[in-house]
Amino acid sequence: MIKRTKLFFEKLKNIRSVGTVVFSSPAAVRAMNAPIDFSSAKRIIELGGGNGCITKGALENMSEDARLLSFEILPEFVKLLHEIEDPRLRVVADSAEKIEELMQEEGWAEIDD
């Protein structure tokens, strides 16, 4: 519980970059991932992985050959994302300004809609 409290205050302290102080419910995770066609999506980018709940939802639905780049700038959330053990996930502890650079590193010409 202390961890959730610490994360809550981290969100509150960084509200401008985080955008929310509440954690996503299972229903919100489903709603956020619903528009993605996971049967064909092989290259996915997440901006602001946060505490990883939406990230985990995406990973549960992704095919084994899909890849997810999750960008997060807050160190506490980066630590949480690194706790997700999935070879399809690459946590990027940097801003979204690095998207093109990271796509080139991954060998991606484009991402999937």
Side-chain angles (χ1 to χ4, degrees), residues 11-107:
K11 283 183 168 195
L12 196 57
K13 187 170 66 177
N14 295 286
I15 190 67
R16 285 191 145 161
S17 59
V18 174
T20 183
V21 293
V22 296
F23 295 98
S24 298
S25 68
V29 171
R30 284 190 299 276
M32 291 294 294
N33 284 309
I36 302 169
D37 181 3
F38 287 102
S39 65
S40 64
K42 302 298 180 204
R43 297 172 304 269
I44 302 169
I45 294 177
E46 175 183 39
L47 303 179
N51 69 340
C53 56
I54 294 173
T55 309
K56 290 175 188 173
L59 290 165
E60 288 174 10
N61 291 294
M62 287 169 42
S63 63
E64 290 301 316
D65 61 338
R67 294 272 294 144
L68 170 61
L69 293 181
S70 182
F71 286 80
E72 179 55 61
I73 59 172
L74 298 177
E76 289 298 321
F77 294 131
V78 170
K79 288 178 194 173
L80 286 177
L81 291 168
H82 278 296
E83 291 176 8
I84 302 172
E85 295 183 14
D86 192 308
R88 300 169 298 168
L89 173 64
R90 179 174 177 188
V91 178
V92 180
D94 211 331
S95 73
E97 295 172 337
K98 302 283 180 135
I99 287 177
E100 288 184 25
E101 180 181 323
L102 272 287
M103 285 177 61
Q104 287 178 352
E105 281 183 26
E106 293 288 324

